[in-house]
Amino acid sequence: MTVSPEWFVALSGVLFAIGAAGVLLRRNALVVLLSIEIMLNAANLALVGFSRVHGAHDGQVFAIMVMAIAASEVVVGLGIVVALSHLRRELDTDDMTELHG
Amino acid sequence: MTSAFLVAGGINFDVPGSIFEVALFALFALAAVIGAIVVVSASDPFVSALSLLLNFVSLGVLYLMLDQPFVALAQVLVYAGAVVVLFLFVIAYLGDRREVFSDRRRAKLVWPFALLTVLGLGGILVGVIIGSDFPDTVSKLADTAAGHDFGTPSAIGETFLTDYLLEFEVTSLVLLVAAIGGIVLGLTGRARHDRMRKLMQTRSADQQKAVHASAEAELRRTRRTAPTAPRTDTAADADGGKEPAS
C-alpha cells in the first residue's frame, strides 16, 4: 500500500470544504479571512499534487503565485479589518450592510 | 518519495509500499484537518490563528512527501512566518473581540443551509476525486520529463523565467499594489485625511519633509497637552474607542 497522489487531492477537497464552512458559518471578519487562507492552501495542495502526478513544474509555479496573491490579500484584508475596527466595536460580517441596496 | 530527507537522518523509509509513508501521510493529513476544523470552530481568534499555523506546517510536510522541497520551504516561510504572524499582530492589536453566538434570527435561519451546502460541496469534491482514474507516476518520477531535478529551486526558477515570465512580472505588480494599498489603509481617520490632503498639495520633496516635521511637532504638542485635557475625553474613550467626529 503506497500513498498515491489522489489521497493528497482528496485531502485538499476536504480542507476546501472546511474553509468554505468557515466563510459561510462564521461572522467574525478575522476568522473569515483565516478560513479563506485554508481554502487557498487547499487549492495549493491540489496544484502541488497534480504537479507531482504529471511530473511537471507548472503546478508548483502556480502554487507559488497563489502564495504571493494570498500574501497580498492578507495585507489588504487585514488593513480593511483594522480600518473598520476604528469605526465599529464588533467585527460582525452580518452588521456590515453599508453597501446594501 | 521522502527518501532524500529521511535517508539523511540515517533511516531509509523508501521501501516500496512502506508503511511509514502511509503513517506519515495519515499523521499530517489528520493534523491538517484538525487544524482547519479548530480554525473554523474556535470562538477565540487567537486559537484560530495558532491552529492555522498547525495546518500550514502539516501542509508543508505533505509538500515534502510530494518531492517538492522548494514549495514546502516557501509554504513555511510565507505562511507560517509572515501571514500567521501578521494575523497574530492584528488580533493582539484589536484585543479580545470574541464572536457572540447571539440568537439572531437570520443567523439561525442560515446555519443549516450553510452546513448542508458545505457538506454537499465536500462530498461531491471527494467523491469525484476518489472516483476518477489517476495515472500512477509516483514510483517512476525519474522517467518523467522533469527528471531528477524535480522540485528544486533552480528548476522552478527556470520555469518561472521562461514559460511564465509575464505571470511572474504581473505577480510582482500585484505585490507592489498590495503594499501601497496596505499603507493607504493604514492611515485612518483624521490623520489620513489631513496627511493625504497635505501630501497632495505639496509638490517637492522639501515641502513633504516640512509637512512631516510640522506633523511631528503637532503630535508632540498634543501629547504634552493631553494629560491636562478635561476629563470628558475619558468618557469619549470609553464609548467604544470611537474617533470623535471632526
Side-chain angles (χ1 to χ4, degrees):
Chain A
M1 188 162 143
T2 49
V3 182
S4 79
E6 67 186 281
W7 294 16
F8 292 89
V9 181
L11 175 67
S12 97
V14 171
L15 288 178
F16 190 89
I18 295 172
V23 172
L24 288 176
L25 299 176
R26 294 305 297 267
R27 289 180 289 115
N28 187 335
L30 274 170
V31 180
V32 170
L33 278 178
L34 289 172
S35 305
I36 291 172
E37 290 301 316
I38 294 179
M39 291 168 80
L40 285 168
N41 265 281
N44 254 358
L45 183 60
L47 285 171
V48 166
F50 283 124
S51 161
R52 183 66 175 74
V53 169
H54 294 290
H57 285 113
D58 307 52
Q60 298 173 56
V61 166
F62 281 126
I64 288 166
M65 275 181 214
V66 168
M67 281 181 200
I69 302 299
S72 321
E73 173 253 320
V74 165
V75 167
V76 175
L78 286 181
I80 291 172
V81 165
V82 170
L84 276 173
S85 75
H86 292 293
L87 297 176
R88 49 176 83 238
R89 180 91 188 110
E90 304 290 335
L91 289 170
D92 192 329
T93 47
D94 276 0
D95 284 345
M96 298 174 186
T97 53
E98 280 86 357
L99 295 179
H100 196 277
Chain B
M1 284 167 79
T2 56
S3 53
F5 304 95
L6 297 173
V7 167
I11 314 158
N12 185 12
F13 286 141
D14 205 17
V15 185
S18 167
I19 194 73
F20 287 113
E21 220 168 78
V22 178
L24 218 58
F25 175 82
L27 180 67
F28 286 102
L30 200 67
V33 169
I34 288 174
I37 288 174
V38 172
V39 169
V40 171
S41 61
S43 65
D44 191 348
F46 190 73
V47 175
S48 288
L50 285 184
S51 55
L52 191 69
L53 189 65
L54 173 70
N55 183 26
F56 286 167
V57 172
S58 317
L59 283 180
V61 175
L62 293 180
Y63 294 164
L64 276 185
M65 288 186 72
L66 284 167
D67 283 322
Q68 312 198 344
F70 183 67
V71 181
L73 185 72
Q75 164 87 6
V76 173
L77 280 182
V78 173
Y79 278 118
V83 169
V84 172
V85 170
L86 199 60
F87 266 108
L88 287 177
F89 269 131
V90 168
I91 289 165
Y93 172 72
L94 293 180
D96 192 11
R97 296 190 192 210
R98 279 163 203 247
E99 191 168 320
V100 186
F101 286 99
S102 61
D103 52 353
R104 247 178 261 183
R105 255 197 15 245
R106 194 187 153 271
K108 265 193 172 170
L109 268 174
V110 166
W111 236 89
F113 291 105
L115 207 61
L116 203 68
T117 309
V118 164
L119 285 179
L121 177 71
I124 290 170
L125 275 177
V126 174
V128 165
I129 290 159
I130 296 294
S132 57
D133 202 14
F134 276 63
D136 183 31
T137 55
V138 184
S139 47
K140 36 188 177 182
L141 182 67
D143 302 339
T144 57
H148 63 278
D149 66 343
F150 183 77
T152 57
S154 61
I156 293 175
E158 202 181 314
T159 315
F160 249 128
L161 293 178
T162 51
D163 294 344
Y164 295 100
L165 186 59
L166 180 66
E167 289 85 344
F168 183 66
E169 298 294 341
V170 170
T171 307
S172 62
L173 199 66
V174 168
L175 281 173
L176 177 68
V177 171
I180 295 171
I183 293 167
V184 170
L185 285 167
L187 300 169
T188 49
R190 181 121 180 247
R192 174 191 191 163
H193 186 79
D194 288 356
R195 275 186 79 181
M196 292 299 273
R197 202 178 54 208
K198 278 179 188 167
L199 281 174
M200 274 191 280
Q201 280 167 355
T202 51
R203 295 286 153 80
S204 68
D206 286 355
Q207 280 173 312
Q208 287 192 9
K209 268 184 204 158
V211 168
H212 284 300
S214 73
E216 271 172 23
E218 198 180 340
L219 197 65
R220 247 177 273 129
R221 203 166 55 238
T222 51
R223 277 214 191 111
R224 214 179 302 131
T225 56
T228 58
R231 291 197 69 86
T232 49
D233 278 10
T234 52
D237 279 352
D239 186 21
K242 276 187 180 175
E243 296 218 350
S246 52

